[in-house]
Amino acid sequence: MENTPGILYIVATPIGNLNDISFRALETLNKCDLIACEDTRHTKRLCQHHDIRTPLQAYHQHNEHQAGQKLIDRLNCGEHIALVSDAGTPLISDPGYVVVQLAHQAGIQVSPIPGPSALISLLSVAGLDTSSIQFEGFLPNKSSQRLSALKQLLPCQSTLVIYESSHRILACLNDISNIAGSDHLMAMGRELTKTFETIYHGSIDQVLTQLTDNPVQQKGEFVIAISATKPTVNESVPLIAQKLALTLMPLLPPKIVSKIVGSHHDCNKKQVYQFILDQQASE
């Protein structure tokens, strides 16, 4: 008889505070046959803290393809495997894509065990509009490449979220300031859930000043959220929009015409509606 394939669990683990882990995650890590992790030394500390004795195996960006296939072979033999990253939710700017893709191709069940995420943790306290977000992970290391990337990303009509390390945080914030403007609103989390957690909120210049004045605050891991830039809406009705409105007026109700014209020409639909009423009154 053929073995029924095991399940690949994608398990979120703490981003700092070791107690930020769900009962379900602990249960999964305990019952699996193997835990695949970025750094066995790092995950070992978590396991020791929660008395988890499941064997560990390294799975990181340098051995993804070779190690990934070996994990698939074990899953096909009926073993259950938990995939974890060093911190947070796997595959979010972390290794795991290869083995998850292989699992899907092999018809192996992949099951998420949700939990901590630096991205979501910052957004929950950022005080920014999160109705639409754009996540870019880590930007390029070199300033010239980072500036080029930022020019393509900003202005952004969604809240833009990126990760950054202590080695580049000042340079990165300066580059963001150069592109978005020093008075642009942002939020930033440093060492989230850890002893020296700090949440920054204000203009880019204000946050830069706090870090520059206190070099200690330049240490740690950072999550940056840059507020969305809403599209400019013309308060008056430009001539080209007036022409479209006049063309559509005999065909559609005023409210429909104002909505179409306002959307098409990026102008205030209330102003368009008033223009239509004025035209009708003058006839």
Side-chain angles (χ1 to χ4, degrees), residues 5 7 24 53 98 147 171 206 260:
I7 300 173
R24 185 171 174 226
R53 303 182 184 184
V98 172
L147 280 168
Q206 289 173 329
I260 293 173

Side-chain angles (χ1 to χ4, degrees), residues 5-25:
I7 300 173
L8 176 60
Y9 293 97
I10 310 302
V11 184
T13 55
I15 58 175
N17 190 317
L18 293 180
N19 290 322
D20 288 338
I21 190 166
S22 70
F23 290 120
R24 185 171 174 226

Side-chain angles (χ1 to χ4, degrees), residues 81-178:
I81 296 177
L83 175 68
V84 303
S85 61
D86 282 348
T89 303
L91 277 79
I92 310 300
S93 286
D94 278 324
Y97 161 75
V98 172
V99 71
V100 170
Q101 185 181 54
L102 290 172
H104 285 306
Q105 291 172 351
I108 293 169
Q109 181 181 347
V110 182
S111 180
I113 309 296
S117 165
L119 163 69
I120 302 303
S121 296
L122 174 65
L123 289 176
S124 70
V125 297
L128 302 179
D129 181 6
T130 57
S131 58
S132 175
I133 62 172
Q134 181 173 333
F135 177 59
E136 289 294 325
F138 287 94
L139 296 180
N141 294 342
K142 294 184 178 180
S143 182
S144 59
Q145 297 175 348
R146 188 166 55 244
L147 280 168
S148 178
L150 286 168
K151 287 177 182 177
Q152 296 181 40
L153 294 169
L154 298 172
C156 184
Q157 294 184 23
S158 303
T159 293
L160 178 65
V161 185
I162 60 175
Y163 289 161
E164 193 50 275
S165 69
S166 58
H167 307 294
R168 295 183 299 271
I169 186 61
L170 287 184
C172 181
L173 289 177
N174 274 302
D175 287 342
I176 294 172
S177 178
N178 288 335

Side-chain angles (χ1 to χ4, degrees), residues 186-190 198-202 207 210-211 217-218 222:
M186 66 166 290
M188 184 171 74
R190 166 181 171 267
T198 312
I199 308 296
Y200 307 83
H201 186 277
V207 175
Q210 290 183 65
L211 265 65
Q217 295 189 48
Q218 298 170 27
F222 297 85

